Amino acid sequence: MTPVPFTQYLGQIVLLLVVFSLSACGYVSRVPTYFSPTLKPSATFSPFDRFRFVATDPQGVLSFMQNLDQDRYFNRTGGMRALAISGGGANGAFGAGMLVGWSQDKDRPVFDMVTGISTGSLIAPFAFAGPSWDETLTAAYHDPQAAKLTRWGGGFFYRPSLYSGKPLAALVARYINADLLKAIASGHRAGRRLLVVTTDLDTQETMVWDMGSIAISAEHPDDNGNALALFRAVLTASASVPGIFPPVVITDGKNTEVHADGGINAPFLLLPESLAAAQISSPRLKPEQLYVIINGQTDITAAPLIGGTMAIVGRSFDSMSRANLRAHLIISTAFAQRHGATFGYAVIPAKVNADPLNFDPAHMEALFQLGLKTRVKTRYLDNFIAPCDCGAAAFMESAKK
């Protein structure tokens, strides 16, 4: 067996050790910055709770589901086709490539629900808006400005992160505009939903934001630009890996909240925690086709551990992360089987160099092409493959009951 190189764990090491080594330097300011705006309260915009729910709150989830069921009843829609997109930093180029390739195959579904976490939250709006936005999605994951996301600046002496959050916020603002919000609002009215996850660092809760509801609020005369500002802030927060990028402070002028990467609590969101053991009876909400794009790797990588403390920490974090992904895949598979739904997922092969902090254009282009070719060259497999067998970067589908 070949020893695992130290560089493979660089991203994971930075993620864990920055928090400890720099904790005495920068600190979290609860004063909003230019990329975490102070929203202007209005009759149509506040409070925040109308746009979100907590994944572990049964009442909040139930209210969301009831409203969705009623909306889909008026739209005469059938069962649910859902897509969940995981985090993964620069590896999101893989997921972006898969969506574009899926469109080129001309068999990409119109998803009734799309969810995103971390880099998945940046892909999710375009996945929800449809193939007509593939060109913009492609441009976003080929933007040379992405290389600035991890540019060293030494700002950790006065901020709570290794890198500045300004380039990430600027990248989000460049591609998330009023036209995209109009497309998302249209899908929301048709009984579809776009959800993005952040972690509320004050309460440690998994916060699920209904982005279509935010998009619709942009159409009110007294919106004052609040909807677009909040939409961008939520995406920036969801992609702000703790220790790497600073958390995003959001305030309505009265209440102030600190939000960060949705991947802190869950690698992807196919269903809120409150629904993990539920049986959905409504024909309009019953799952029919469930898909997950994992912008990361799940295979066990067996190799001699070489190195000291940092190598041990990095290897441990990597193992924990992959095991967490496999566990969530098993839960999702059980949920799909219980409802007689098809289930498919995609992962990056273990042998591929997939560094979530490498935003070099060449690295991201290679991952984009991998995603593009994987989808174009792959068709569904006939037989169910258990989610613990995650080696192939291809969609895998179970037979319906």
Coordinates of all heavy atoms in Angstrom, one line a residue, residues 56-105:
T56 N -35.1 20.3 13.2 CA -35.5 19.4 14.3 C -36.8 19.8 14.9 O -37.2 19.2 15.9 CB -34.4 19.4 15.3 OG1 -34.1 20.8 15.7 CG2 -33.1 18.8 14.8
D57 N -37.5 20.9 14.4 CA -38.7 21.3 15.0 C -39.9 20.7 14.3 O -40.2 21.1 13.2 CB -38.8 22.8 14.9 CG -40.1 23.4 15.4 OD1 -40.8 22.7 16.2 OD2 -40.5 24.5 15.0
P58 N -40.6 19.7 14.9 CA -41.7 19.0 14.3 C -42.8 20.0 13.8 O -43.4 19.8 12.7 CB -42.2 18.0 15.3 CG -41.0 17.9 16.3 CD -40.3 19.2 16.3
Q59 N -43.1 21.0 14.6 CA -44.2 21.9 14.3 C -43.8 22.8 13.1 O -44.6 23.0 12.2 CB -44.6 22.8 15.5 CG -45.2 22.0 16.6 CD -46.5 21.3 16.2 OE1 -47.3 21.9 15.5 NE2 -46.6 20.1 16.6
G60 N -42.6 23.2 13.1 CA -42.1 24.1 11.9 C -42.1 23.3 10.7 O -42.5 23.8 9.6
V61 N -41.6 22.0 10.7 CA -41.6 21.2 9.5 C -43.0 20.8 9.1 O -43.3 20.9 7.9 CB -40.8 19.9 9.8 CG1 -40.9 18.9 8.6 CG2 -39.3 20.2 10.1
L62 N -43.9 20.6 10.0 CA -45.3 20.2 9.7 C -46.0 21.4 9.0 O -46.7 21.2 8.0 CB -46.0 19.8 11.0 CG -47.5 19.5 10.8 CD1 -47.7 18.3 9.8 CD2 -48.2 19.3 12.1
S63 N -45.8 22.6 9.5 CA -46.3 23.8 8.9 C -45.9 24.0 7.5 O -46.6 24.3 6.6 CB -46.0 25.0 9.8 OG -46.5 26.2 9.2
F64 N -44.6 23.8 7.3 CA -44.0 23.9 5.9 C -44.6 22.9 5.0 O -45.0 23.2 3.9 CB -42.5 23.7 6.0 CG -41.8 23.5 4.6 CD1 -41.6 24.6 3.8 CD2 -41.5 22.3 4.2 CE1 -41.0 24.5 2.6 CE2 -40.9 22.1 2.9 CZ -40.7 23.2 2.1
M65 N -44.7 21.6 5.5 CA -45.3 20.5 4.6 C -46.8 20.8 4.3 O -47.2 20.5 3.2 CB -45.1 19.2 5.3 CG -43.6 18.8 5.5 SD -42.8 18.5 4.0 CE -43.5 16.9 3.6
Q66 N -47.5 21.3 5.3 CA -48.9 21.6 5.1 C -49.1 22.7 4.0 O -50.0 22.5 3.1 CB -49.6 21.9 6.4 CG -49.8 20.8 7.3 CD -50.3 21.2 8.7 OE1 -50.2 22.4 9.1 NE2 -51.0 20.3 9.4
N67 N -48.3 23.7 4.1 CA -48.4 24.8 3.2 C -48.0 24.3 1.8 O -48.6 24.7 0.8 CB -47.5 26.0 3.6 CG -48.0 26.7 4.8 OD1 -49.2 26.6 5.1 ND2 -47.1 27.3 5.5
L68 N -47.0 23.5 1.7 CA -46.6 22.9 0.4 C -47.6 22.0 -0.2 O -47.9 22.0 -1.4 CB -45.3 22.1 0.6 CG -44.7 21.4 -0.7 CD1 -44.5 22.4 -1.8 CD2 -43.4 20.7 -0.3
D69 N -48.3 21.2 0.7 CA -49.3 20.3 0.2 C -50.5 21.1 -0.4 O -51.0 20.7 -1.4 CB -49.8 19.4 1.4 CG -50.7 18.3 1.0 OD1 -50.5 17.7 -0.1 OD2 -51.7 18.0 1.7
Q70 N -50.9 22.1 0.3 CA -52.0 23.0 -0.2 C -51.6 23.6 -1.5 O -52.4 23.7 -2.5 CB -52.3 24.0 0.8 CG -53.5 24.9 0.4 CD -53.8 25.9 1.5 OE1 -53.0 26.4 2.3 NE2 -55.1 26.3 1.6
D71 N -50.4 24.1 -1.6 CA -49.9 24.8 -2.8 C -49.9 23.8 -4.0 O -50.3 24.1 -5.1 CB -48.5 25.4 -2.6 CG -48.1 26.5 -3.6 OD1 -49.0 26.8 -4.4 OD2 -47.0 27.0 -3.5
R72 N -49.4 22.6 -3.7 CA -49.4 21.6 -4.8 C -50.8 21.1 -5.2 O -51.0 20.7 -6.3 CB -48.5 20.4 -4.4 CG -47.0 20.9 -4.3 CD -46.1 19.7 -3.8 NE -46.1 18.6 -4.8 CZ -45.3 18.6 -5.9 NH1 -44.6 19.7 -6.2 NH2 -45.3 17.5 -6.7
Y73 N -51.7 21.2 -4.2 CA -53.1 20.8 -4.5 C -53.7 21.8 -5.6 O -54.3 21.3 -6.5 CB -53.9 20.8 -3.3 CG -55.4 20.6 -3.5 CD1 -55.9 19.3 -3.7 CD2 -56.3 21.6 -3.5 CE1 -57.3 19.1 -3.9 CE2 -57.7 21.4 -3.7 CZ -58.1 20.2 -4.0 OH -59.5 20.0 -4.2
F74 N -53.5 23.0 -5.3 CA -54.0 24.0 -6.3 C -53.3 24.0 -7.6 O -53.9 24.3 -8.7 CB -53.9 25.4 -5.7 CG -54.8 25.7 -4.5 CD1 -54.3 26.0 -3.3 CD2 -56.2 25.6 -4.7 CE1 -55.2 26.3 -2.2 CE2 -57.0 25.9 -3.7 CZ -56.6 26.2 -2.4
N75 N -52.1 23.5 -7.7 CA -51.4 23.3 -8.9 C -51.6 21.9 -9.6 O -51.0 21.6 -10.6 CB -49.9 23.6 -8.7 CG -49.6 25.0 -8.6 OD1 -49.5 25.8 -9.5 ND2 -49.4 25.5 -7.3
R76 N -52.4 21.1 -8.9 CA -52.7 19.7 -9.4 C -51.4 18.9 -9.8 O -51.3 18.4 -10.8 CB -53.6 19.9 -10.7 CG -54.9 20.5 -10.5 CD -55.8 19.6 -9.6 NE -57.2 20.1 -9.5 CZ -57.6 21.0 -8.6 NH1 -56.8 21.5 -7.7 NH2 -58.9 21.4 -8.6
T77 N -50.5 19.0 -8.9 CA -49.2 18.3 -9.1 C -49.2 16.9 -8.4 O -50.0 16.7 -7.4 CB -48.0 19.1 -8.6 OG1 -48.3 19.6 -7.3 CG2 -47.8 20.3 -9.5
G78 N -48.4 16.0 -8.9 CA -48.3 14.6 -8.3 C -47.2 14.5 -7.3 O -47.0 15.4 -6.5
G79 N -46.6 13.3 -7.2 CA -45.5 13.1 -6.2 C -44.3 13.9 -6.4 O -44.1 14.7 -7.4
M80 N -43.3 13.8 -5.5 CA -42.2 14.6 -5.4 C -41.0 14.0 -6.1 O -40.6 12.9 -5.9 CB -41.8 14.9 -3.9 CG -42.9 15.6 -3.1 SD -43.2 17.3 -3.6 CE -41.6 18.1 -3.0
R81 N -40.3 14.9 -6.8 CA -39.0 14.6 -7.4 C -38.0 15.5 -6.7 O -38.1 16.8 -7.0 CB -38.9 14.7 -8.9 CG -39.8 13.7 -9.7 CD -40.1 14.1 -11.1 NE -41.0 15.3 -11.0 CZ -41.5 15.8 -12.1 NH1 -41.2 15.3 -13.3 NH2 -42.3 16.8 -12.1
A82 N -37.1 15.0 -5.9 CA -36.2 15.9 -5.1 C -34.7 15.7 -5.4 O -34.3 14.6 -5.7 CB -36.5 15.7 -3.6
L83 N -34.0 16.8 -5.3 CA -32.5 16.7 -5.5 C -31.9 17.4 -4.4 O -32.2 18.6 -4.0 CB -32.1 17.4 -6.8 CG -30.6 17.6 -7.0 CD1 -29.9 16.3 -7.2 CD2 -30.4 18.6 -8.2
A84 N -30.9 16.7 -3.7 CA -30.1 17.3 -2.6 C -28.7 17.4 -3.1 O -28.2 16.5 -3.7 CB -30.2 16.5 -1.4
I85 N -28.1 18.6 -2.9 CA -26.7 18.8 -3.3 C -25.8 19.1 -2.1 O -26.2 20.0 -1.3 CB -26.6 20.0 -4.3 CG1 -27.6 19.8 -5.4 CG2 -25.2 20.1 -4.9 CD1 -27.7 21.0 -6.4
S86 N -24.8 18.4 -1.9 CA -24.0 18.5 -0.7 C -22.9 19.6 -0.8 O -22.8 20.2 -1.8 CB -23.2 17.1 -0.5 OG -22.0 17.1 -1.2
G87 N -22.2 19.8 0.4 CA -21.1 20.7 0.4 C -19.9 20.1 -0.2 O -19.9 18.9 -0.7
G88 N -18.8 20.8 -0.2 CA -17.6 20.3 -0.8 C -16.6 21.4 -1.3 O -15.6 21.1 -2.0
G89 N -16.9 22.7 -1.1 CA -16.0 23.7 -1.5 C -15.8 23.7 -3.0 O -16.7 23.7 -3.8
A90 N -14.5 23.7 -3.4 CA -14.1 23.7 -4.8 C -14.7 22.5 -5.5 O -14.9 22.5 -6.8 CB -12.6 23.8 -5.0
N91 N -14.9 21.4 -4.8 CA -15.4 20.2 -5.4 C -16.8 20.4 -6.0 O -17.4 19.5 -6.7 CB -15.4 19.0 -4.4 CG -14.0 18.7 -4.0 OD1 -13.0 19.0 -4.6 ND2 -13.9 18.0 -2.8
G92 N -17.5 21.5 -5.7 CA -18.8 21.8 -6.2 C -18.7 21.9 -7.7 O -19.8 21.7 -8.4
A93 N -17.6 22.1 -8.3 CA -17.4 22.0 -9.8 C -17.9 20.7 -10.3 O -18.4 20.6 -11.5 CB -16.0 22.3 -10.2
F94 N -17.7 19.6 -9.6 CA -18.1 18.3 -10.0 C -19.7 18.3 -10.1 O -20.2 17.8 -11.1 CB -17.7 17.3 -9.0 CG -18.3 15.9 -9.2 CD1 -17.8 15.1 -10.2 CD2 -19.3 15.4 -8.3 CE1 -18.4 13.8 -10.4 CE2 -19.8 14.2 -8.5 CZ -19.4 13.4 -9.5
G95 N -20.4 18.8 -9.1 CA -21.8 18.8 -9.1 C -22.4 19.7 -10.2 O -23.4 19.4 -10.9
A96 N -21.7 20.8 -10.4 CA -22.1 21.7 -11.5 C -22.0 21.1 -12.9 O -22.9 21.1 -13.7 CB -21.3 23.0 -11.5
G97 N -20.9 20.3 -13.1 CA -20.7 19.6 -14.3 C -21.8 18.5 -14.5 O -22.2 18.3 -15.6
M98 N -22.1 17.9 -13.4 CA -23.1 16.8 -13.5 C -24.5 17.3 -14.0 O -25.2 16.8 -14.8 CB -23.3 16.1 -12.2 CG -22.1 15.2 -11.9 SD -22.6 13.9 -10.7 CE -23.7 12.9 -11.8
L99 N -24.9 18.5 -13.4 CA -26.1 19.1 -13.8 C -26.1 19.5 -15.3 O -27.1 19.3 -16.0 CB -26.4 20.3 -13.0 CG -27.0 20.0 -11.6 CD1 -27.1 21.3 -10.7 CD2 -28.4 19.4 -11.7
V100 N -25.1 20.1 -15.7 CA -25.0 20.5 -17.2 C -25.0 19.3 -18.1 O -25.7 19.3 -19.1 CB -23.7 21.3 -17.4 CG1 -23.5 21.6 -18.9 CG2 -23.7 22.6 -16.6
G101 N -24.3 18.2 -17.7 CA -24.3 17.0 -18.5 C -25.6 16.3 -18.5 O -26.1 15.8 -19.5
W102 N -26.3 16.4 -17.4 CA -27.7 15.9 -17.3 C -28.6 16.6 -18.2 O -29.4 16.0 -18.9 CB -28.2 16.0 -15.8 CG -29.2 15.0 -15.4 CD1 -29.9 14.2 -16.1 CD2 -29.6 14.8 -14.0 NE1 -30.7 13.4 -15.3 CE2 -30.6 13.8 -14.0 CE3 -29.2 15.4 -12.8 CZ2 -31.2 13.3 -12.9 CZ3 -29.8 14.9 -11.6 CH2 -30.8 13.9 -11.7
S103 N -28.4 17.9 -18.3 CA -29.2 18.7 -19.3 C -28.9 18.2 -20.7 O -29.8 18.1 -21.6 CB -29.0 20.2 -19.1 OG -29.3 20.6 -17.9
Q104 N -27.7 18.0 -21.0 CA -27.3 17.6 -22.4 C -27.8 16.3 -22.7 O -28.1 16.0 -23.9 CB -25.7 17.6 -22.5 CG -25.1 19.0 -22.4 CD -23.6 19.0 -22.4 OE1 -23.0 18.0 -22.4 NE2 -23.0 20.2 -22.3
D105 N -28.0 15.4 -21.7 CA -28.7 14.1 -22.0 C -30.2 14.2 -22.3 O -30.8 13.3 -22.7 CB -28.5 13.2 -20.8 CG -27.2 12.3 -20.9 OD1 -26.5 12.5 -21.9 OD2 -27.0 11.5 -20.0

